[in-house]
Amino acid sequence: FALYFFLPPPAKYGGRHTVTLIPGDGIGPELLNHVREVFRFSCVPVDFEVVHVNSALETEEDINNAITAIRRNGVALKGNIETKHTMPPSVKSRNNLLRTSLDLYANVMHCQSLPGVQTRHQNIDIMIIRENTEGEYSSLEHENVPGVVESLKIITRNNSLRIAEYAFRLAREKGRRRVTAVHKANIMKLGDGLFLQCCREVASGYPDITFDSMIVDNTTMQLVSKPQQFDVMVMPNLYGNVVSNVCAGLVGGPGLVPGANYGRDYAVFETATRNTGKSIADKNIANPTAMLLAGCMMLDHLKLHDHASSIRNAIFTTMNENRLHTADIGGQGTTSEVVQSVMRIIQSKGQLTAEF
Amino acid sequence: TKGCSSLEPDGSDHTVTLIPGDGIGPEISTAVMKIFEAAKAPIRWEERNVTAIKGPGGRWMIPPDAKESMDRSKIGLKGPLKTPIAAGHPSMNLLLRKTFDLYANVRPCVSIEGYKTPYTDVNLVTIRENTEGEYSGIEHVIVDGVVQSIKLITENASRRIAEYAFEYARNNQRSSVTAVHKANIMRMSDGLFLRKCREVAENYKDVKFTEMYLDTVCLNMVQDPTQFDVLVMPNLYGDILSDLCAGLIGGLGVTPSGNIGANGVAIFESVHGTAPDIAGLDLANPTALLLSAVMMLRHMGLHDYGNKIQTACFDTIRDKKVLTKDLGGNSKCSEFTADICRRVQDLD
């Protein structure tokens, strides 16, 4: 989903790219190791610069190092960094800090039904574009009177126009027919009203694409009964959180869908639902699909399309034809079995690979 | 179970304030009254209109006779109300909420056998804080092009809703309460809400307490709704989640809802719209209002009547012979109602 006119060409030295890798917590480290394993095996010309972020520290030194590394390399692949509840409220979510500092304003997620995965609904094909920097995630809170807390939700014209523009451009590029704005402007008349107005303004510049809007509670109701009616959806931050998780659940769960965060200058790839997965960490049962597909999205961004397709096809073959599934989608395979299968399929296609 | 304050000591009928509402409101209210009559439920209906009027001092208020009736009976049953666009007065639902301090919105979502959806075995309750949070209505334009909406979370309201949730769980034999929040992002506001829930949980050791992020709840809800029992949450999340759960069981046309207020007031309502396109044509589906009325009976301690009416309603739906159009049939509202009345009488 890289829009070439926005992002500068990725940095390359000696024909190899350097990408920042942030392992994060929970299942992040093990899944990213598998990604590295598959990339090394497929001789992908990418070197990873690993930056650790310790979520137990209160200082922001670690996350600032990570941000600097991403500024340097332009591209990153990350696991989710835990936000510990025991910390005081002044310690903000590290993931959020990363997104806002790098101005990664568009979170893009493509939810597609996979033929090999059993779900209640079929034929889902929804692209979700979520504003990623403002809205309810502004982290501006204060307690004026003891026992009364105010949290500010900020909506700006600039960011709303920007995200709407991104959504429509992407829709046109991908040949999609319809963009739906999700909002709650009947209650938040000024805030979501502004967002909706910006979407309408941008829509008028794209007469080939149908634009409509839907209130968020009705949207969730429609999603669980008839998700096939949606095409492209654009929305502010919090509704994006809800809708993207609902859609991920509809197509098979958090282990399947990759996500991307795009800004004007940087791109960061991760799993779409941003789970830490502490309870399944280090047990070799996590589903590597989402993280591997995120890696493929990153390869497409770096214009290494052949590598991306080869790995992606291997993943889909494993999922849909071999039906090698991990526990979260009803199977009994382990993480390593899935990864081994992916690598075997890549090798069988006759491309250059490293030692097994 | 909560004792009903309108219980007449001499055993005579309980008074309930009935607000038929607009659009299909009057016809579905009539249907409910017919079914209650067939069940011989000890309810005396007092019909009132709540269209806002301007009181002394220029403030909008609900008509005094409606307020007086509610204050006396403490129990209300309400049909859908029209949302005015340019009438000048605020939303009627908002006015009712403010007048009676309806702080808890309760929606039990149970799969209806006979009305198939992709989700079976749903059996959960969403309890939503209904007075503050994101719906405080406080918005400002800071500078041109920058808007700020304020989300308000207070200690008192959070404690009150948490207490209600645990009381409800205990009184209705539910085993667990889950607090839904986003305290990783909204550290102070949702953090306060969560803290209050934890404090109240200490007094209800017989009920299991868990906490879960909003996104995790959404993710798990659409994959396996059976893992949830009672959910308690602030206003916005409650709005979204309660509609999501309604969608799981078949939509707003079959979902009951109750609003609990201070001073023992409780108003039960159908949450669908007024459906002006089918109003007066005897095509409406009274199920949502009927199930809300059943919720009301249970709240008043009249479980036998509640169960009888609910069984009759579910049997009619399962039988599939006289369904209204939205349920997949082509019968009239009156035929659907008559079938339920017949079954209720047979169950005696």
Side-chain angles (χ1 to χ4, degrees):
Chain A
F1 306 131
L3 301 186
Y4 323 112
F5 24 82
F6 276 131
L7 298 146
K12 234 162 60 152
Y13 188 72
R16 298 181 67 81
H17 297 263
T18 309
V19 169
T20 308
L21 187 94
I22 302 169
D25 301 306
I27 50 175
E30 66 190 86
L31 293 184
L32 287 168
N33 276 341
H34 286 303
V35 173
R36 281 200 280 186
E37 203 184 323
V38 173
F39 279 20
R40 193 164 33 232
F41 181 76
S42 314
C43 299
V44 171
V46 167
D47 293 317
F48 285 108
E49 180 189 350
V50 181
V51 184
H52 291 279
V53 177
N54 188 345
S55 53
L57 292 179
E58 282 191 34
T59 64
E60 294 189 354
E61 211 182 300
D62 268 4
I63 192 67
N64 285 336
N65 286 342
I67 291 170
T68 310
I70 301 175
R71 282 195 216 276
R72 197 178 334 110
N73 296 322
V75 180
L77 188 59
K78 77 182 260 294
N80 200 43
I81 304 164
E82 194 192 342
T83 309
K84 292 197 186 330
H85 281 241
T86 46
M87 304 277 211
S90 53
V91 178
K92 310 259 183 248
S93 156
R94 300 288 178 246
N95 305 299
N96 201 23
L97 265 176
L98 204 145
R99 293 192 289 266
T100 49
S101 308
L102 296 170
D103 201 23
L104 301 170
Y105 66 91
N107 178 260
V108 182
M109 181 175 149
H110 188 185
C111 282
Q112 255 179 321
S113 290
L114 295 174
V117 182
Q118 267 276 56
T119 52
R120 289 184 179 84
H121 307 270
Q122 281 78 43
N123 299 323
I124 300 174
D125 191 351
I126 305 174
M127 283 189 78
I128 298 169
I129 293 142
R130 160 188 177 187
E131 209 293 325
N132 215 7
T133 54
E134 57 175 24
E136 299 81 350
Y137 287 40
S138 313
S139 299
L140 294 164
E141 298 179 297
H142 48 260
E143 191 168 359
N144 280 336
V145 173
V148 177
V149 176
E150 282 185 358
S151 172
L152 304 181
K153 163 179 165 163
I154 310 287
I155 300 273
T156 60
R157 199 173 150 70
N158 280 350
N159 289 352
S160 304
L161 283 173
R162 194 166 64 162
I163 195 66
E165 192 61 55
Y166 188 97
F168 277 91
R169 259 205 241 242
L170 190 62
R172 186 176 263 173
E173 200 188 302
K174 299 284 167 187
R176 314 288 282 211
R177 300 260 52 88
R178 209 171 109 235
V179 173
T180 308
V182 178
H183 65 95
K184 191 112 187 119
N186 51 341
I187 303 287
M188 281 176 256
K189 299 188 168 66
L190 291 183
D192 285 353
L194 176 59
F195 180 83
L196 203 52
Q197 192 190 326
C198 293
C199 288
R200 288 208 181 99
E201 274 176 39
V202 172
S204 58
Y206 291 79
D208 50 322
I209 298 176
T210 320
F211 171 71
D212 55 8
S213 62
M214 200 183 266
I215 300 182
V216 61
D217 31 354
N218 188 21
T219 308
T220 50
M221 237 190 312
Q222 296 294 325
L223 277 170
V224 294
S225 45
K226 242 184 348 132
Q228 298 80 7
Q229 63 181 291
F230 295 104
D231 194 357
V232 177
M233 298 167 83
V234 63
M235 59 207 89
N237 218 330
L238 183 70
Y239 312 146
N241 187 232
V242 171
V243 171
S244 53
N245 275 273
V246 169
C247 290
L250 292 174
V251 298
L256 297 179
V257 192
N261 303 287
Y262 294 105
R264 203 193 56 173
D265 305 315
Y266 313 107
V268 175
F269 300 88
E270 54 178 351
T271 63
T273 48
R274 304 170 176 166
N275 302 92
T276 329
K278 275 193 300 192
S279 56
I280 54 171
D282 298 322
K283 293 191 180 145
N284 202 15
I285 53 175
N287 194 339
T289 307
M291 197 60 92
L292 284 170
L293 287 175
C296 294
M297 281 179 85
M298 185 195 79
L299 292 175
D300 275 324
H301 178 79
L302 296 173
K303 308 220 200 341
L304 297 168
H305 299 294
D306 290 340
H307 283 288
S309 304
S310 137
I311 298 173
R312 198 176 279 132
N313 287 339
I315 297 169
F316 286 146
T317 307
T318 305
M319 166 107 11
N320 300 329
E321 281 159 52
N322 303 354
R323 307 266 162 148
L324 181 57
H325 293 168
T326 43
D328 59 314
I329 42 177
Q332 284 156 350
T334 61
T335 317
S336 19
E337 279 172 7
V338 176
V339 173
Q340 297 288 326
S341 164
V342 169
M343 296 200 290
R344 244 196 316 272
I345 294 170
I346 294 172
Q347 184 169 56
S348 72
K349 299 286 178 192
Q351 278 152 305
L352 172 70
T353 54
E355 294 300 306
F356 220 115
Chain B
T1 1
K2 269 211 134 124
C4 177
S5 53
S6 73
L7 182 71
E8 314 297 336
D10 57 3
S12 63
D13 288 351
H14 305 239
T15 312
V16 168
T17 308
L18 176 69
I19 303 159
D22 310 306
I24 54 171
E27 44 197 286
I28 55 177
S29 302
T30 312
V32 170
M33 286 198 282
K34 276 210 189 92
I35 294 169
F36 269 53
E37 204 187 305
K40 297 204 209 14
I43 304 287
R44 191 174 72 80
W45 304 102
E46 245 180 45
E47 263 189 61
R48 291 287 181 269
N49 185 344
V50 293
T51 314
I53 57 169
K54 248 200 172 139
R59 296 194 81 203
W60 290 101
M61 52 184 239
I62 65 169
D65 61 337
K67 183 167 190 313
E68 183 272 334
S69 170
M70 265 313 301
D71 284 335
R72 190 174 16 91
S73 66
K74 300 289 190 198
I75 306 286
L77 183 67
K78 174 177 117 15
L81 291 175
K82 203 163 46 190
T83 316
I85 310 272
H89 61 74
S91 139
M92 290 315 313
N93 290 313
L94 185 62
L95 209 49
L96 275 172
R97 203 171 303 143
K98 289 237 148 80
T99 312
F100 298 107
D101 196 15
L102 301 174
Y103 65 91
N105 178 261
V106 183
R107 271 204 217 169
C109 291
V110 182
S111 284
I112 299 180
E113 204 190 320
Y115 187 43
K116 275 212 86 216
T117 63
Y119 300 89
T120 53
D121 305 329
V122 179
N123 188 354
L124 52 88
V125 182
T126 58
I127 297 180
R128 156 193 176 187
E129 205 292 323
N130 218 3
T131 60
E132 56 175 26
E134 299 82 348
Y135 293 9
S136 49
I138 311 168
E139 291 187 291
H140 314 106
V141 179
I142 311 285
V143 289
D144 194 25
V146 179
V147 175
Q148 154 188 306
S149 302
I150 295 187
K151 162 178 165 165
L152 202 66
I153 299 279
T154 62
E155 202 173 307
N156 287 343
S158 305
R159 193 189 315 111
R160 190 165 61 164
I161 193 72
E163 270 166 4
Y164 181 78
F166 279 95
E167 273 298 324
Y168 182 92
R170 194 179 259 173
N171 294 339
N172 291 277
Q173 288 83 47
R174 313 291 305 207
S175 48
S176 74
V177 171
T178 305
V180 181
H181 64 97
K182 269 215 82 64
N184 52 344
I185 301 290
M186 283 173 259
R187 306 296 308 274
M188 282 176 81
S189 40
D190 282 359
L192 174 60
F193 179 82
L194 206 52
R195 250 193 338 269
K196 290 296 137 201
C197 288
R198 285 186 190 137
E199 279 171 27
V200 172
E202 293 297 312
N203 299 334
Y204 290 84
K205 294 285 196 198
D206 48 328
V207 179
K208 182 166 153 226
F209 173 68
T210 49
E211 14 185 285
M212 210 185 253
Y213 288 138
L214 172 66
D215 37 349
T216 314
V217 171
C218 289
L219 189 58
N220 292 344
M221 183 71 78
V222 298
Q223 291 180 82
D224 180 20
T226 60
Q227 57 185 284
F228 296 106
D229 196 352
V230 177
L231 299 162
V232 64
M233 59 211 114
N235 216 330
L236 176 68
Y237 314 151
D239 194 7
I240 301 176
L241 266 182
S242 56
D243 277 4
L244 177 65
C245 297
L248 296 177
I249 62 168
L252 297 181
V254 294
T255 308
S257 173
N259 298 293
I260 311 297
N263 303 319
V265 168
I267 302 184
F268 299 87
E269 59 175 352
S270 59
V271 286
H272 52 71
T274 51
D277 48 336
I278 56 168
L281 301 175
D282 197 20
L283 295 172
N285 178 359
T287 305
L289 191 62
L290 186 64
L291 291 179
S292 304
V294 165
M295 215 178 140
M296 177 190 82
L297 287 170
R298 293 199 172 116
H299 177 88
M300 294 159 83
L302 301 168
H303 292 271
D304 290 338
Y305 292 102
N307 292 339
K308 196 162 61 171
I309 295 174
Q310 186 178 290
T311 309
C313 177
F314 284 177
D315 284 347
T316 302
I317 296 178
R318 192 186 311 118
D319 210 28
K320 294 201 208 298
K321 292 211 185 69
V322 271
L323 296 180
T324 48
K325 186 144 172 285
D326 62 313
L327 291 174
N330 45 33
S331 301
K332 293 193 171 314
C333 174
S334 44
E335 291 167 348
F336 182 75
T337 310
D339 198 64
I340 300 179
C341 289
R342 185 181 55 77
R343 284 178 197 273
V344 156
Q345 280 158 342
D346 287 347
L347 280 169
D348 264 330

